[in-house]
Amino acid sequence: MNAKLRLGFVGHGVWGRRLLAAMRADARVGEVVIWDRDPTRLDSLPSEERARSFEDLLERDLDCVAFALDPREQPMLAQRALGAGFHVFLEKPLALDARSAALVRDAARARGRVAFVGHVVRHHPVVRRAVELLEAGAIGVVRGAVMRRWGARERPGVPAWWVLAPHDLSVLDRVVGGAPAWLEKSGDGDDCRLRFRSGRGLRGELHVAGARGPQRLSCWLGEQGVLVVDEKSSSLHRYASPSVARSALERLEAGWFDVERFLDELSELSGEEFKIEGDALSAEVTAFFDAICLGTPVETDVEEGYRVVRALESGSDFGKTTSRIVSLKESTKSTPLTAKAT
């Protein structure tokens, strides 16, 4: 593809503006047309970049449509964009229930379009390096994972579980495959801790909390050692200590895992440190446009997005929880989807 990509963009809120800036920075992007359900968000844009409605955007001569939209309305609009023949970039989570996610997946299959899901952490350079090390056997066969993701942009009406957990579930999907089987749960959707068993005999624990932190940490336990991934500092630490890993696995098997105690234990060891530079968002955007322009396989495609939503739904339903997803109408007063820009 030699011509510049013509990009449609849906959602011009805080995150949408950041994502759009990253997409504009790619030299392959040319014309951009933007629509938001709140037309006042487009006031600062030149008139030729504003779509009057979502229908108006779909009628433009575009190559792809990117969504930075609430997951309660994204599936319906994504199906329409796919039906119109556009490649799509979709925010995570793909949807808030497996049925809606399946409809988007099926629409992408039917039209043979790129349907890229924004599991941005999968494109974080430190996470990509961690996956490479794990798959290369740097700590032997992986037997356990302890994942902690604290602190989130508030999304009214949507529990933190649905905002934060997609990142770690996407990484698990890549590393071990198969949906996690939930074993025990503590807390609700805004501060939620779950123990699980996953593919290849892996045991794990995932803790998400919107109001704590911020912290982005995962500890991988293998037969030959430990790999600690810290996204905030873009660093990896590998510890070649089978005995420490074995002791940690025993505690993980027995019940809730004490992360602070474990990190204190590791601080007494001599480990190998990796500092990884790079920006996750720009890497993600590059991967999306590479898929369109070069035919590069998509790692975080709509098939994976569907599997992640199924895991999210089963985790949300597991045990007793007091949180709920409220409707978009309940959480915000908004104009109709066909609102005209002024």
Side-chain angles (χ1 to χ4, degrees):
M1 181 180 292
N2 296 318
K4 294 277 190 177
L5 287 170
R6 295 156 297 183
L7 171 67
F9 198 90
V10 179
H12 204 240
V14 174
W15 175 251
R17 291 192 293 273
R18 183 178 171 190
L19 176 60
L20 178 58
M23 290 189 164
R24 285 186 190 271
D26 192 296
R28 292 170 289 188
V29 173
E31 176 187 352
V32 178
V33 180
I34 306 159
W35 176 76
D36 192 286
R37 61 165 44 251
D38 179 358
T40 63
R41 290 178 172 178
L42 308 182
D43 287 346
S44 63
L45 299 174
S47 59
E48 63 269 19
E49 290 192 348
R50 304 182 207 170
R52 296 184 302 275
S53 65
F54 186 66
E55 290 75 13
D56 177 35
L57 183 141
L58 292 184
E59 291 172 359
R60 303 294 185 99
D61 185 18
L62 303 172
D63 298 298
C64 53
V65 178
F67 291 85
L69 205 58
D70 191 289
R72 287 162 290 195
E73 60 181 325
Q74 176 172 258
M76 177 184 68
L77 299 186
Q79 290 174 71
R80 292 172 62 186
L82 287 163
F86 300 127
H87 304 291
V88 295
F89 178 102
L90 302 162
E91 259 305 330
K92 59 84 189 165
L94 174 59
L96 292 178
D97 63 86
R99 178 181 177 277
S100 297
L103 291 173
V104 180
R105 177 202 62 191
D106 293 347
R109 286 176 176 175
R111 295 306 299 261
R113 301 288 88 184
V114 170
F116 188 107
V117 181
H119 293 148
V120 65
V121 165
R122 281 282 299 282
H123 302 276
H124 194 303
V126 75
V127 173
R128 294 188 69 86
R129 180 60 176 144
V131 170
E132 290 171 0
L133 288 169
L134 293 171
E135 293 182 342
I139 58 171
V141 177
V142 179
R143 297 299 187 191
V146 179
M147 312 173 104
R148 177 183 282 182
R149 192 165 296 276
W150 291 353
R153 292 181 298 111
E154 184 178 351
R155 190 172 287 176
V158 181
W161 169 252
W162 288 88
V163 178
L164 294 172
H167 296 299
D168 298 290
L169 293 172
S170 173
V171 175
L172 275 174
D173 186 84
R174 169 58 190 265
V175 173
V176 298
W182 307 111
L183 305 175
E184 188 174 0
K185 184 176 184 179
S186 174
D188 63 21
D190 289 314
D191 193 328
C192 187
R193 197 175 180 189
L194 288 102
R195 297 177 63 233
F196 62 87
R197 181 178 63 253
S198 193
R200 304 175 194 171
L202 181 138
R203 289 281 182 149
E205 182 177 309
L206 171 59
H207 186 184
V208 300
R212 301 195 193 202
Q215 192 173 72
R216 308 282 191 270
L217 187 74
S218 58
C219 303
W220 296 88
L221 312 174
E223 292 181 348
Q224 300 301 318
V226 176
L227 185 69
V228 178
V229 185
D230 188 340
E231 296 166 30
K232 296 294 290 183
S233 65
S234 293
S235 65
L236 300 172
H237 289 82
R238 180 173 60 178
Y239 301 90
S241 177
S243 61
V244 169
R246 185 164 53 250
S247 174
L249 283 166
E250 290 171 357
R251 298 201 299 271
L252 183 60
E253 179 80 22
W256 297 112
F257 194 79
D258 187 334
V259 176
E260 279 68 31
R261 172 189 168 187
F262 184 55
L263 294 177
D264 285 343
E265 292 173 357
L266 293 178
S267 69
E268 301 296 322
L269 302 178
S270 176
E272 182 181 8
E273 181 179 11
F274 304 80
K275 292 291 288 186
I276 314 295
E277 300 298 329
D279 178 68
L281 183 57
S282 62
E284 178 183 57
V285 166
T286 296
F288 174 55
F289 293 134
D290 281 352
I292 296 172
C293 298
L294 305 177
T296 305
V298 178
E299 292 186 16
T300 58
D301 62 9
V302 73
E303 303 287 344
E304 188 210 59
Y306 168 70
R307 294 192 299 270
V308 167
V309 170
R310 287 189 61 186
L312 287 165
E313 191 171 54
S314 65
S316 179
D317 293 342
F318 182 81
K320 186 177 181 180
T321 178
T322 58
S323 67
R324 72 184 185 99
I325 298 167
V326 302
S327 70
L328 192 62
K329 186 175 181 181
E330 286 180 273
S331 65
T332 181
K333 292 182 179 179
S334 54
T335 55
L337 291 179
T338 55
K340 304 295 183 182
T342 56

